[in-house]
Amino acid sequence: MGRQRLLTVSAFLFSASLAFAQSASDVSHGEASPSPRHPGAAVTSGQKPLNLPEHIKDRLDKMPPAERAKFLENFHHWQQMTNEEKHYFRECAMMERQKIQEAANAALQKSGLTLDKDRSEAFALRYMQERRKIERSLHQELEAKRVQLLEGVIEKLKIEFSTSVIPKKEDATVNSKTCPQPASTP
């Protein structure tokens, strides 16, 4: 992937996050103006319409239905948040971006490469993309392992609870005929 493409993707992600935050603010203040040709403008289940910039609406049109639904779900969830919650999530996102940027800078330094500013930015973008792929893959592996282990736990508990019998009160009392008596000491 070329440097220009990486910068374009980065710019889109940045502008989308800004547009998302701005639109969430606009919509929560009643400034929404729906556009019926875009799925992002549709009102679903009594929720407010979206007021997104044209380029974001175009991206929504191009998204697969599942991604579009997730975006809209997240957007409507964002609309329901208080200003304090929004501020908290913005702060968390900013700290996460800083953490990833620091990791990208550390990776560049560890690589031993000396790059100009444009190439350093391209390196950082590629590092972040590859890191996201790894994290997504690890998350999927962990989730698959969790499902597998939980299936084993369920089977184990099913056997344990289907075969175990709770002792009746009379079975629990000591019967002198069945229990061995201690040996008497002379």
Side-chain angles (χ1 to χ4, degrees):
M1 184 182 292
R3 188 177 129 253
Q4 185 60 36
R5 174 79 174 129
L6 290 173
L7 295 174
T8 302
V9 169
S10 175
F12 168 72
L13 292 174
F14 180 73
S15 66
S17 63
L18 288 176
F20 180 78
Q22 180 61 42
S23 297
S25 175
D26 291 349
V27 172
S28 66
H29 290 94
E31 299 171 14
S33 59
S35 172
R37 77 173 193 90
H38 294 289
V43 178
T44 57
S45 65
Q47 295 173 331
K48 296 178 183 178
L50 302 179
N51 182 23
L52 297 172
E54 242 357 87
H55 69 281
I56 301 296
K57 290 177 185 177
D58 291 338
R59 290 284 183 168
L60 270 176
D61 284 340
K62 294 174 185 173
M63 281 184 188
E67 284 183 31
R68 184 181 314 128
K70 185 67 175 169
F71 176 87
L72 293 173
E73 178 184 331
N74 288 340
F75 185 81
H76 290 302
H77 181 72
W78 179 263
Q79 289 175 307
Q80 301 302 316
M81 288 183 187
T82 64
N83 287 337
E84 292 82 20
E85 290 171 323
K86 289 176 185 178
H87 178 73
Y88 172 77
F89 281 105
R90 284 183 186 121
E91 289 292 318
C92 288
M94 185 177 67
M95 288 173 35
E96 184 64 22
R97 282 191 299 271
Q98 286 175 344
K99 179 180 157 185
I100 292 172
Q101 184 63 47
E102 288 169 5
N105 292 340
L108 177 59
Q109 187 176 17
K110 187 176 181 178
S111 74
L113 295 171
T114 305
L115 303 175
D116 63 17
K117 184 178 178 182
D118 288 343
R119 302 259 308 154
S120 294
E121 289 174 4
F123 181 96
L125 285 173
R126 285 287 293 135
Y127 174 84
M128 289 183 246
Q129 289 173 344
E130 293 300 321
R131 180 177 169 142
R132 278 190 215 106
K133 284 180 190 176
I134 290 169
E135 288 174 354
R136 196 175 309 122
S137 174
L138 288 172
H139 177 74
Q140 290 170 347
E141 288 175 26
L142 180 63
E143 192 60 33
K145 179 92 171 167
R146 179 183 291 119
V147 168
Q148 180 185 13
L149 291 172
L150 286 175
E151 287 174 1
V153 167
I154 292 168
E155 283 302 312
K156 177 182 170 186
L157 292 173
K158 181 179 172 182
I159 292 168
E160 181 181 328
F161 282 89
S162 66
T163 59
S164 66
V165 178
I166 300 173
K168 295 180 183 173
K169 197 169 194 172
E170 56 230 311
D171 291 342
T173 60
V174 176
N175 186 341
S176 61
K177 293 180 182 177
T178 60
C179 292
Q181 296 297 323
S184 59
T185 54

